[in-house]
Amino acid sequence: MCGIQVLIQQSDGSGTSGDPCCTEIWGRLAAINRNRETQSQPIVSKDTGDVLCWNGEVFGGLDVGARNDGIVLFQTIQEMKRQYPEDYVLRVFSRIEGPYAFVYFDYDQQKLWFARDYLGRRSLVTKWVADTNSLLISSVADGTETDSEHPKWTELPAQSIYCLDLAGSCSLASLAVSESAAPFTQYSWKYECDIERPMDTSKDNPNAASRLVLPFGQVTTELVDNSPPPPSANTSIVGLDGFPELARWQPYVDGLEKTLTESIRTRIESIPLTHGTDTDPKTPRVGILFSGGVDCIAIAALLTKILPRGEAIELFNVAFENPRQTRTAGNSNAVYDVPDRRTGRQGWLELCGLDPMREWRFVEIDVPYTQVLEHRAHIRNLLTPSDTVMDMSIGMALWFASKGAGLLVVRKSDTDNTVVSRHPYEGAARVLLLGMGADEQLGGYSRHRVAWDRGGWAELGTEIRLDVQRIATRNLGRDDRIVSDNGKESRYPFLAAEVVGFLSQTPLDRKMNMHYPRGVGEKLLLRLLAFQLGLTAACTLAKRAIQFGARTAKMESGQTKGQDTL
């Protein structure tokens, strides 16, 4: 985990006709730690002068082993450059699976390459400053400059790899990351089916190699069958025991378990082992932001099958003092008895019963309104360029949850779930697993049921396909800025390429079925997996947005809307 900050500044008198762009490039990156190997950045080649700023993880496409992935990536880029000097960056990154943001400066060619991964799992923002004739590329923005006199930060779109030619006749003022205009070149990721293949597709043809092909296909809208569910599938269903269609769903349930398990395994195997401390000999390496919902509890149930038995797993559950809700309820003793706290405790106890040999550390993070006021300006700064009321509500919940400072809940015994104490606790895990991506792919949002009510399978399929296509344009950059501010790294098992690929090719009616009621029909495939794993209570919990479950929404007024600007 690290942060990128790059300044490209044009000297006075540059950009005139026939003159090359004269630039100064400055970069800064924090230390990165992977498999106990620390690598200072930026990484600079003594031979070529090329520079790499890298903030990411290589989970596939390169043989990293126990080495630092930034070093392996840099060496691979240098080797590819010697063979294919025109499109070597595209060739390398077309192979890589994992969350990343990078800036690469080619000293010889005077080209600057930069991008986020095709799903936008890491943050990278840009800003053109006319006063200093410079371009800033950074992992985080300075959100304190909000007046009209200061240029605005822009989230770098994640669907492309960008190249800025600093050697040609140009003015940096003409750079617009949202447009394909000289001196700026944009290479877009595409689905396999959308690519027009040239006649010559040999490996030596740069036109063939420079095309960026997504490692998964478009979401299929095909159905196994369009028949209604059996009569037993009615609004009275309260569990999945005896689910009438289980045999027809079983291959897909098993397939999801296999791909999701492998995704989790890949995302934790690179976390350095810890030897613990005198006070905590089983220092956790991994934690989960935990509401008790089906997304996060399924991750937990699969994680406990993979992680060595002696390691504890941290479950971070956040709840807020919401003054408006408290005034309405009139019960100050239940300030933190929010929906996510209740389902979180229920899920924690269900996990304790599922795997009693595992140490499940359930951390209750109670956030008084005074702390909201104290940290609100800082969190708003981190959100930039995101700037809506909903961004703040979600960002607030993620920031306090990922900070991990709360109260560790202790049960009386393995057989008695009575809570005997809650004592101060600081989360130790540096890697957090989050459930983002499940709702978009599996029909978890209320708009999916609205689409179903509007036009059945056809409308639902269109909505799901659009949602998956828009994952890269939505909020993962924002979430990365929020979580990483606490020195933690977010990893998303549902957004692994193999999981997205599996779900994209799974028939629509084997992922969800809105014939069933809320809490069953949406994300039905994941619910059946949770049930198969033994999570009989959590498998039928309805979707609840974090800002409502933790009660960060509408703290002062009930009149504000999520899309309102801060």
Side-chain angles (χ1 to χ4, degrees):
M1 181 189 67
C2 41
I4 296 172
Q5 194 172 44
V6 174
L7 169 67
I8 307 126
Q9 190 164 30
Q10 194 170 43
S11 302
D12 293 339
S14 63
T16 58
S17 178
D19 295 333
C21 275
C22 301
T23 62
E24 298 176 1
I25 296 180
W26 173 78
R28 182 178 67 187
L29 208 68
I32 186 171
N33 189 294
R34 177 188 173 95
N35 294 333
R36 297 185 185 171
E37 183 181 351
T38 300
Q39 175 60 48
S40 298
Q41 294 204 43
I43 306 172
V44 182
S45 170
K46 295 180 180 179
D47 298 327
T48 65
D50 291 3
V51 180
L52 172 66
C53 294
W54 167 250
N55 177 17
E57 296 288 340
V58 176
F59 292 136
L62 294 179
D63 183 12
V64 175
R67 297 171 293 171
N68 178 271
D69 57 353
I71 289 293
V72 174
L73 173 63
F74 189 59
Q75 292 172 345
T76 303
I77 293 174
Q78 294 282 284
E79 293 169 3
M80 192 69 74
K81 180 181 176 181
R82 288 190 285 270
Q83 300 179 59
Y84 306 101
E86 297 298 321
D87 62 345
Y88 64 97
V89 172
L90 303 175
R91 289 176 181 264
V92 172
F93 281 93
S94 66
R95 297 160 45 183
I96 291 177
E97 150 60 2
Y100 63 76
F102 78 90
V103 177
Y104 186 88
F105 176 58
D106 186 317
Y107 180 82
D108 294 331
Q109 298 181 23
Q110 288 291 291
K111 289 184 177 180
L112 190 79
W113 298 82
F114 52 102
R116 301 161 64 200
D117 71 83
Y118 43 74
L119 289 174
R121 291 165 287 188
R122 288 290 177 265
S123 172
L124 204 61
V125 294
T126 63
K127 181 173 75 169
W128 161 250
V129 184
D131 292 347
T132 57
N133 212 24
S134 57
L135 173 70
L136 288 168
I137 304 175
S138 178
S139 295
V140 294
D142 181 2
T144 61
E145 301 174 345
T146 57
D147 58 86
S148 58
E149 296 181 1
H150 288 91
K152 291 185 177 181
W153 289 92
T154 302
E155 195 105 45
L156 183 71
Q159 301 97 326
S160 302
I161 293 179
Y162 306 89
C163 182
L164 179 60
D165 187 352
L166 302 174
S169 299
C170 68
S171 169
L172 283 180
S174 67
L175 177 64
V177 174
S178 60
E179 301 175 2
S180 295
F184 173 82
T185 305
Q186 177 177 339
Y187 301 90
S188 297
W189 289 93
K190 295 182 179 180
Y191 290 108
E192 178 82 26
C193 62
D194 293 335
I195 293 178
E196 297 178 4
R197 291 293 182 187
M199 294 297 293
D200 179 13
T201 58
S202 67
K203 67 178 182 178
D204 296 321
N205 179 8
N207 291 325
S210 65
R211 300 184 185 274
L212 300 174
V213 183
L214 290 167
F216 43 80
Q218 277 195 335
V219 173
T220 181
T221 57
E222 293 181 357
L223 307 173
V224 175
D225 56 59
N226 195 15
S227 60
S232 59
N234 54 46
T235 55
S236 65
I237 187 170
V238 294
L240 294 178
D241 191 16
F243 181 69
E245 299 182 273
L246 184 58
R248 289 189 289 175
W249 285 69
Q250 194 62 57
Y252 303 99
V253 175
D254 294 341
L256 178 59
E257 180 175 6
K258 179 180 178 181
T259 54
L260 192 55
T261 298
E262 188 56 34
S263 170
I264 296 170
R265 187 191 314 278
T266 303
R267 276 148 186 78
I268 67 169
E269 64 185 2
S270 64
I271 306 173
L273 292 171
T274 58
H275 296 292
T277 64
D278 292 338
T279 57
D280 189 358
K282 295 186 288 185
T283 302
R285 290 187 298 154
V286 60
I288 301 172
L289 299 195
F290 193 76
S291 66
V294 67
D295 307 343
C296 59
I297 200 169
I299 290 174
L302 293 173
L303 175 63
T304 194
K305 293 185 173 185
I306 303 168
L307 209 62
R309 178 57 55 198
E311 295 189 34
I313 297 175
E314 292 177 326
L315 306 174
F316 299 108
N317 180 274
V318 66
F320 286 75
E321 177 190 3
N322 185 312
R324 190 181 65 87
Q325 294 274 357
T326 303
R327 287 194 302 268
T328 303
N331 183 4
S332 59
N333 295 325
V335 169
Y336 302 112
D337 187 28
V338 302
D340 277 4
R341 176 59 49 80
R342 294 192 292 271
T343 55
R345 279 206 179 192
Q346 175 183 302
W348 165 55
L349 295 176
E350 191 165 21
L351 288 170
C352 291
L354 180 71
D355 188 354
M357 300 302 294
R358 173 74 61 191
E359 183 183 355
W360 300 97
R361 297 187 182 179
F362 186 67
V363 184
E364 295 184 344
I365 301 167
D366 297 340
V367 185
Y369 186 60
T370 53
Q371 286 193 24
V372 170
L373 297 177
E374 178 183 352
H375 297 285
R376 177 180 280 168
H378 175 64
I379 294 171
R380 181 174 180 174
N381 188 25
L382 293 172
L383 292 173
T384 306
S386 302
D387 62 352
T388 68
V389 171
M390 183 179 293
D391 289 321
M392 175 60 81
S393 296
I394 296 173
M396 189 83 66
L398 289 177
W399 191 81
F400 279 100
S402 60
K403 191 174 181 65
L407 299 171
L408 183 66
V409 182
V410 180
R411 296 184 299 157
K412 187 173 184 179
S413 68
D414 289 342
T415 58
D416 188 340
N417 291 331
T418 303
V419 173
V420 294
S421 67
R422 296 166 77 236
H423 57 78
Y425 182 84
E426 292 281 343
R430 292 302 179 201
V431 171
L432 301 176
L433 300 182
L434 284 75
M436 280 71 162
D439 289 313
E440 289 87 348
Q441 299 180 82
L442 292 162
Y445 289 120
S446 59
R447 63 176 173 269
H448 296 139
R449 193 167 282 277
V450 170
W452 166 264
D453 292 338
R454 184 174 64 242
W457 289 114
E459 288 289 329
L460 179 58
T462 298
E463 192 71 29
I464 294 293
R465 176 175 284 187
L466 285 173
D467 261 352
V468 174
Q469 290 174 348
R470 291 185 297 216
I471 285 175
T473 67
R474 299 191 65 192
N475 303 313
L476 293 173
R478 174 201 68 193
D479 298 344
D480 179 50
R481 292 190 293 276
I482 292 292
V483 173
S484 61
D485 183 63
N486 287 312
K488 310 293 177 64
E489 181 172 295
S490 52
R491 299 184 181 180
Y492 310 102
F494 286 103
L495 291 176
E498 62 268 23
V499 176
V500 177
F502 171 78
L503 291 175
S504 293
Q505 67 183 6
T506 297
L508 190 63
D509 58 346
R510 289 299 176 264
K511 292 184 288 189
M512 63 207 77
N513 192 330
M514 303 304 180
H515 284 297
Y516 291 97
R518 186 171 181 266
V520 177
E522 66 278 3
K523 297 191 286 192
L524 181 50
L525 178 60
L526 181 60
R527 296 180 187 282
L528 288 170
L529 172 58
F531 182 80
Q532 180 167 286
L533 294 171
L535 303 169
T536 56
C539 68
T540 53
L541 289 177
K543 160 72 179 178
R544 185 172 49 241
I546 188 173
Q547 64 269 31
F548 298 114
R551 294 218 173 128
T552 57
K554 302 180 185 295
M555 283 194 166
E556 292 88 8
S557 170
Q559 303 303 313
T560 57
K561 297 180 179 179
Q563 65 268 28
D564 291 347
T565 302
L566 292 170

